[in-house]
Amino acid sequence: MTAIDAPHRSFSDALHERYCDFEATFDKLKNGCDIVFFVGASPQQTDAGLVLNTSTVVLTDERISHVGDPHAVEISCSKVELVNISSNAFSNWHEISLLFSSLPHVKTINLSLNPFSSQIYKFPDEIQWPNLNTLSLNGTNISLEMLVEVMKKTPNLEELQICSNNYSSVSSTYNFIHNNLKRIYIYNNNITDWTSICNLGHLFPRLETLIASDNPLKTFHSDDNVEICLPKLHTLSVDRVQISEWNDIIALTKLPCLHALRIYSAPLLKAYQKDERFFLLLGYMKDLKKLNGSDITASEREASERRFIRYYSQRDDKPQRYFDLIEKHGNLKPLVDIQIRAPYLMQVRLIYNQTTYDKEIDVRQTVQQFKKYLQETFQLPMNRLRVFHVDDVAFNMGLAGPEELKYPQRVLHTYNIHDGDQFHVDLKPDQFKPQHSSRPVNITAYSNKLANDNSVESSASSENDKKHPPFSLDSLQNLPNQTDISTSQAFIQLDQFYPSTDKNVQISKQISNDDDDDLLSAAAMACTQMNNT
């Protein structure tokens, strides 16, 4: 038998099975186990019957459609204050009336998602349920006319939940007033006009909290005087409504006691960032103490009102609230637009060869990570990268020179990097592999030739020292384009001993082919002598 075809049950049977029938519960739960633990208060046996020692009864989704034995229910639930029988099969209001009368001490009852009949049921005049404080009828499609009949029997009810019942409007012709209801939850319905909300105020003049979110309300205006129909309303939730004008927000300021508002999503607010919504709403609504769940401090209030003034000072459509705040805070000058960056981000210049980039770098990274970034930026081999940091201010004052970034795990901020500093990228030379020759060499001829070359280079170097001053920022910027003279001389001399494997590197044309052979022989003999030594 499927759950759909299963027969309906009585409240008394379901209550006895869940809370009183220990043998049936034991057989149902044991399922072959050796030990079963029961948690909860056992019912008390009295002369009248079993009395539950719990204050809460939960019997959801149990296919309950009627009361059963009302006398047994009244005895068993004499200490029960909360009953949850949502998602069951109650449809007859006579059975609901019998159930309420069988639960004389219950203060809260949840009847949500029961398929109640749309017909109007008139309760007997003598029936009253004075102890009921909270009633939940969400998703039952109960008509407002039937709801009024229920409210007539619950004079001390303070909270009513009627969400998801497909209400599109609330009439003002019920000829009924409930003087104790304080909280109404009516979200997720189809109410479009604010007049229906005002009519709720006429029905419940002591209404303090109204949760009306997820209704397609198009305006907060009506012909009713909200000071009369909603005089005590202090908490209002109208999130995900369809208002599109700031005049609707201004209309809410006429509610005399409103100090807590929830309205986060609406067509009006879509064009604004979260912080803009905050200061605009606070700017318009001077009496709010809580907005979207957050308490409003005095400093937040003042900052929002000042920002409200600056926002509308540049616009032509100034509301009256703008002039009210001018009287309070005075005319405020626009704030200077300061771009604030994180303290670990620096604007630096990266230079390689004739390529320059102005970049923002994170000084929390290591030298190794920075070199990897430079490798990707300039498309250079990682193993040949050399990077020099130049403190722009200190270098121009002559206090410090370039500092090479040598240690891979050192963090960049330890180099005291500032905005405007430079990083010069250079490449280490290729590694040359020596080649040995067994041919004899004329060492005497090579020595004479080397001496002559050194004398020429020495004189040229002296002239160059006179022409070029010591290290300067201009020369540093051209560092990637220049060849280190001493380094190139050293490689030329080494190449004369150990010719490079690079086919593009040619030995000086001043040396004849015969001299080359002699040089190679001399190099081999020199190496042999060094090894013998």
Side-chain angles (χ1 to χ4, degrees):
M1 181 178 295
T2 63
I4 297 177
D5 299 329
H8 291 163
R9 308 170 64 197
S10 68
F11 180 86
S12 58
D13 288 343
L15 180 71
H16 185 268
E17 180 179 329
R18 174 71 63 87
Y19 293 95
C20 304
D21 192 354
F22 296 111
E23 294 183 1
T25 305
F26 182 83
D27 293 336
K28 183 176 179 180
L29 296 178
K30 187 171 68 171
N31 289 329
C33 298
D34 294 331
I35 300 176
V36 175
F37 293 96
F38 292 92
V39 179
S42 301
Q44 178 184 358
Q45 182 67 51
T46 65
D47 294 337
L50 292 173
V51 177
L52 297 182
N53 287 326
T54 179
S55 62
T56 302
V57 167
V58 179
L59 293 172
T60 60
D61 199 17
E62 292 283 349
R63 310 183 310 279
I64 301 172
S65 62
H66 55 286
V67 176
D69 186 351
H71 180 70
V73 172
E74 183 176 0
I75 294 174
S76 300
C77 298
S78 60
K79 297 182 180 180
V80 174
E81 296 183 352
L82 186 151
V83 173
N84 184 352
I85 48 175
S86 60
S87 301
N88 278 289
F90 279 106
S91 61
N92 191 320
W93 280 105
H94 172 72
E95 291 295 328
I96 295 297
S97 173
L98 186 60
L99 178 65
F100 282 5
S101 300
S102 303
L103 301 169
H105 303 290
V106 168
K107 297 179 180 180
T108 301
I109 187 164
N110 187 349
L111 291 168
S112 299
L113 301 175
N114 278 276
F116 290 122
S117 171
S118 59
Q119 296 180 353
I120 306 299
Y121 178 80
K122 296 291 185 177
F123 297 102
D125 294 337
E126 67 276 8
I127 290 181
Q128 289 289 314
W129 305 303
N131 290 328
L132 197 60
N133 177 272
T134 302
L135 176 61
S136 179
L137 294 165
N138 301 320
T140 60
N141 291 323
I142 180 176
S143 66
L144 290 171
E145 291 77 12
M146 187 62 220
L147 180 63
V148 170
E149 294 298 322
V150 175
M151 299 299 295
K152 291 177 180 179
K153 303 301 178 181
T154 56
N156 296 318
L157 193 71
E158 294 187 357
E159 180 175 315
L160 175 65
Q161 300 178 17
I162 48 175
C163 310
S164 304
N165 282 330
N166 296 316
Y167 299 139
S168 58
S169 63
V170 179
S171 175
S172 60
T173 60
Y174 301 117
N175 194 26
F176 167 74
I177 293 177
H178 194 290
N179 289 313
N180 286 319
L181 194 74
K182 297 180 180 179
R183 298 178 296 277
I184 294 181
Y185 293 77
I186 195 172
Y187 63 81
N188 193 29
N189 281 286
N190 299 316
I191 299 175
T192 59
D193 61 297
W194 189 250
T195 302
S196 294
I197 302 299
C198 292
N199 289 336
L200 282 176
H202 288 304
L203 285 170
F204 311 106
R206 293 192 62 186
L207 186 63
E208 297 178 355
T209 299
L210 176 61
I211 310 301
S213 298
D214 288 290
N215 279 282
L217 287 164
K218 297 180 179 179
T219 181
F220 296 150
H221 289 278
S222 75
D223 295 333
D224 295 272
N225 187 341
V226 293
E227 295 183 3
I228 297 176
C229 60
L230 294 167
K232 297 183 178 296
L233 186 68
H234 60 68
T235 300
L236 175 65
S237 177
V238 283
D239 196 17
R240 294 180 293 277
V241 292
Q242 298 302 311
I243 63 166
S244 57
E245 297 180 357
W246 283 109
N247 284 334
D248 289 306
I249 299 298
I250 296 174
L252 292 180
T253 62
K254 297 179 181 180
L255 293 168
C257 295
L258 185 66
H259 64 73
L261 175 67
R262 181 178 293 275
I263 177 171
Y264 186 81
S265 176
L268 169 67
L269 304 175
K270 284 184 178 180
Y272 302 94
Q273 299 294 329
K274 182 178 180 180
D275 61 326
E276 293 176 327
R277 300 172 191 172
F278 187 82
F279 82 78
L280 287 172
L281 288 169
L282 282 189
Y284 276 110
M285 307 193 71
K286 62 179 180 179
D287 297 322
L288 279 189
K289 299 178 181 179
K290 180 177 290 188
L291 177 60
N292 293 331
S294 300
D295 292 328
I296 308 303
T297 64
S299 60
E300 287 175 328
R301 162 65 63 184
E302 182 177 356
S304 296
E305 291 178 349
R306 288 176 171 273
R307 191 172 177 185
F308 185 92
I309 293 174
R310 292 189 172 97
Y311 176 82
Y312 276 105
S313 65
Q314 309 298 320
R315 298 171 63 96
D316 296 330
D317 55 338
K318 295 179 175 61
Q320 179 59 41
R321 180 63 177 158
Y322 168 81
F323 300 101
D324 296 340
L325 291 176
I326 287 292
E327 294 182 2
K328 179 179 179 180
H329 299 288
N331 285 302
L332 303 177
K333 295 181 179 180
L335 294 175
V336 179
D337 187 11
I338 301 176
Q339 190 174 17
I340 301 176
R341 290 186 293 114
Y344 49 79
L345 297 177
M346 298 295 169
Q347 290 284 352
V348 299
R349 176 163 291 183
L350 310 178
I351 303 172
Y352 170 70
N353 205 352
Q354 294 183 348
T355 305
T356 301
Y357 292 114
D358 290 327
K359 296 287 187 179
E360 186 177 70
I361 66 170
D362 189 335
V363 296
R364 296 174 300 177
Q365 62 183 316
T366 63
V367 170
Q368 183 176 8
Q369 292 170 330
F370 183 49
K371 285 186 175 181
K372 185 175 180 181
Y373 170 73
L374 294 174
Q375 173 198 14
E376 297 171 353
T377 302
F378 294 106
Q379 299 297 313
L380 299 175
M382 181 75 169
N383 60 344
R384 295 181 59 196
L385 274 182
R386 297 182 70 190
V387 183
F388 298 87
H389 167 235
V390 177
D391 187 322
D392 185 58
V393 176
F395 183 78
N396 288 329
M397 295 177 62
L399 300 177
E403 182 178 4
E404 184 175 0
L405 278 61
K406 295 182 178 180
Y407 307 104
Q409 300 305 318
R410 184 172 172 180
V411 183
L412 287 186
H413 73 77
T414 60
Y415 289 92
N416 198 24
I417 297 170
H418 306 92
D419 286 336
D421 286 0
Q422 299 180 10
F423 288 92
H424 291 261
V425 182
D426 194 13
L427 288 181
K428 299 176 184 178
D430 288 326
Q431 298 295 325
F432 296 98
K433 297 181 180 180
Q435 295 181 353
H436 300 284
S437 173
S438 59
R439 297 169 54 188
V441 64
N442 188 340
I443 298 178
T444 304
Y446 170 73
S447 300
N448 294 334
K449 185 173 184 61
L450 185 60
N452 293 333
D453 291 342
N454 287 339
S455 63
V456 173
E457 293 173 357
S458 176
S459 61
S461 176
S462 299
E463 293 299 326
N464 290 334
D465 291 342
K466 295 177 181 179
K467 293 180 181 179
H468 299 285
F471 190 81
S472 66
L473 183 59
D474 293 337
S475 63
L476 180 62
Q477 293 176 340
N478 296 324
L479 179 61
N481 301 324
Q482 298 176 355
T483 304
D484 191 327
I485 297 176
S486 61
T487 304
S488 61
Q489 290 175 351
F491 287 137
I492 291 174
Q493 295 177 7
L494 288 174
D495 282 344
Q496 291 172 337
F497 276 112
Y498 310 110
S500 173
T501 57
D502 190 344
K503 300 300 182 181
N504 295 324
V505 180
Q506 303 291 334
I507 299 178
S508 176
K509 293 181 179 180
Q510 298 176 1
I511 304 175
S512 64
N513 294 334
D514 293 339
D515 290 340
D516 291 346
D517 295 339
D518 291 340
L519 291 174
L520 292 172
S521 299
M525 293 180 62
C527 290
T528 303
Q529 291 175 2
M530 292 172 61
N531 291 334
N532 292 336
T533 305

